Amino acid sequence: MTTDIRKDALNAYLSKGIHDVKGWCVPQLWQTIWPVYKAIGDGPVAEIGVFEGKFLIGLCKTFGTGPDNKAAAIDLFDMQEFNLDGAGVGKLEVVRNNLDGHGIGRDNVTYVKADSLTLRTREADQFVAENGLCKFFSVDGCHEVVHTVNDIEFAMKVTANDGLIAVDDYANPNWPGVQEAVARMYILRDFPFIPLAVTCNKLLLCSYSYHAKYLELIHSYIRTNHPSTHMKFVTRFGYRTLTVQPDFRTWSDLQ
């Protein structure tokens, strides 16, 4: 699929279809994702905590999920005794039906029912052997500190060096465990993936190797194509990052 056809399909989802799926991500998030995708190209995507598939569908449409490029949906699903923070309940059949309805076939997604605290090095190695290294990994599971740290570290193990990791609810005061988890991680030690940008309630991480390149790509793309979006360079945990604040009152297609 050419980039233009992919972009048209993604714009159609972001302008209309995304509003038909329950969840908490917004179309303007792609102002930051899209310019980096154009540099990364297609590849596997994964999400811990899929709820009803709203964000995962958008990621699949962005990164070309198909028979030879599968996505992974990791969730407790019916194991709700491990839903310790009472966050959104992922419903397997609802997720499958939503992905089906938006053109993401069931054979193109691997569904993993698991408590994410069981995901360790052995599971990471198995994941990469079966799916390949992710180009985008979304962390949106249990928002308690221990879970968030574990999920981010698992994501780092299975994400390609040129890939992105998104940590949801970083800016949400109702889920302080997420911000505390990130602070504990980056104050106490160094990691190969470092803060890149905060936008639309998510913290994006990328590898140190691509950090300067991706900052420039995002800043240049938004400045050119979405002039109503406010951007500011700020330092987070010693790293130069962007705060991106779109105008949520309007939507303009990705370019």
Side-chain angles (χ1 to χ4, degrees):
M1 182 181 290
T2 67
T3 301
D4 285 343
I5 295 174
R6 176 76 52 74
K7 180 177 64 180
D8 290 345
L10 178 58
N11 277 327
Y13 175 68
L14 295 178
S15 63
K16 185 177 179 182
I18 193 171
H19 304 295
D20 298 329
V21 183
K22 292 181 180 178
W24 299 277
C25 78
V26 295
Q28 289 81 1
L29 174 60
W30 270 262
Q31 293 179 9
T32 303
I33 295 174
W34 182 247
V36 180
Y37 160 72
K38 290 196 290 184
I40 296 174
D42 290 356
V45 298
E47 183 169 36
I48 293 177
V50 297
F51 190 50
E52 297 193 4
K54 191 184 195 82
F55 189 32
L56 186 60
I57 292 169
L59 293 178
C60 291
K61 287 182 175 291
T62 305
F63 287 88
T65 297
D68 300 319
N69 178 24
K70 291 190 175 183
I74 305 166
D75 202 288
L76 292 172
F77 294 118
D78 62 352
M79 298 166 55
Q80 287 302 302
E81 66 270 25
F82 299 111
N83 187 2
L84 301 185
D85 65 350
V89 178
K91 303 169 185 175
L92 182 56
E93 280 308 305
V94 173
V95 175
R96 283 176 169 166
N97 290 336
N98 284 339
L99 267 68
D100 283 349
H102 289 279
I104 314 298
R106 295 194 177 197
D107 293 340
N108 301 334
V109 182
T110 300
Y111 293 92
V112 180
K113 183 172 72 172
D115 174 1
S116 66
L117 287 185
T118 66
L119 303 177
R120 307 292 179 85
T121 299
R122 182 176 64 181
E123 286 74 25
D125 292 342
Q126 182 179 352
F127 181 98
V128 173
E130 294 176 356
N131 301 280
L133 288 168
C134 290
K135 295 296 186 175
F136 197 107
F137 197 109
S138 170
V139 173
D140 192 12
C142 180
H143 290 0
E144 294 193 357
V145 173
V146 65
H147 291 78
T148 304
V149 170
N150 187 77
D151 294 354
I152 294 172
E153 290 189 335
F154 179 80
M156 290 182 183
K157 292 183 178 78
V158 303
T159 300
N161 192 43
D162 62 348
L164 290 177
I165 296 170
V167 182
D168 190 54
D169 279 321
Y170 179 73
N172 190 335
N174 294 308
W175 303 107
V178 177
Q179 214 167 68
E180 182 180 342
V182 172
R184 287 192 187 188
M185 291 177 68
Y186 287 102
I187 288 172
L188 293 176
R189 54 176 285 208
D190 295 322
F191 291 90
F193 283 78
I194 61 177
L196 173 68
V198 171
T199 184
C200 303
N201 203 36
K202 295 183 187 289
L203 169 68
L204 298 183
L205 309 174
C206 74
S207 77
Y208 193 93
S209 304
Y210 286 86
H211 187 262
K213 176 182 178 180
Y214 289 172
L215 270 184
E216 174 56 29
L217 284 175
I218 294 167
H219 187 263
S220 176
Y221 172 82
I222 292 177
R223 183 181 56 195
T224 301
N225 297 288
H226 303 282
S228 65
T229 292
H230 181 265
M231 293 183 290
K232 183 180 181 182
F233 285 105
V234 299
T235 300
R236 288 185 173 89
F237 307 107
Y239 301 105
R240 189 172 188 243
T241 69
L242 266 174
T243 296
V244 180
Q245 296 174 292
D247 181 354
F248 296 115
R249 297 169 300 178
T250 62
W251 164 254
S252 55
D253 282 351
L254 303 172
Q255 302 301 316

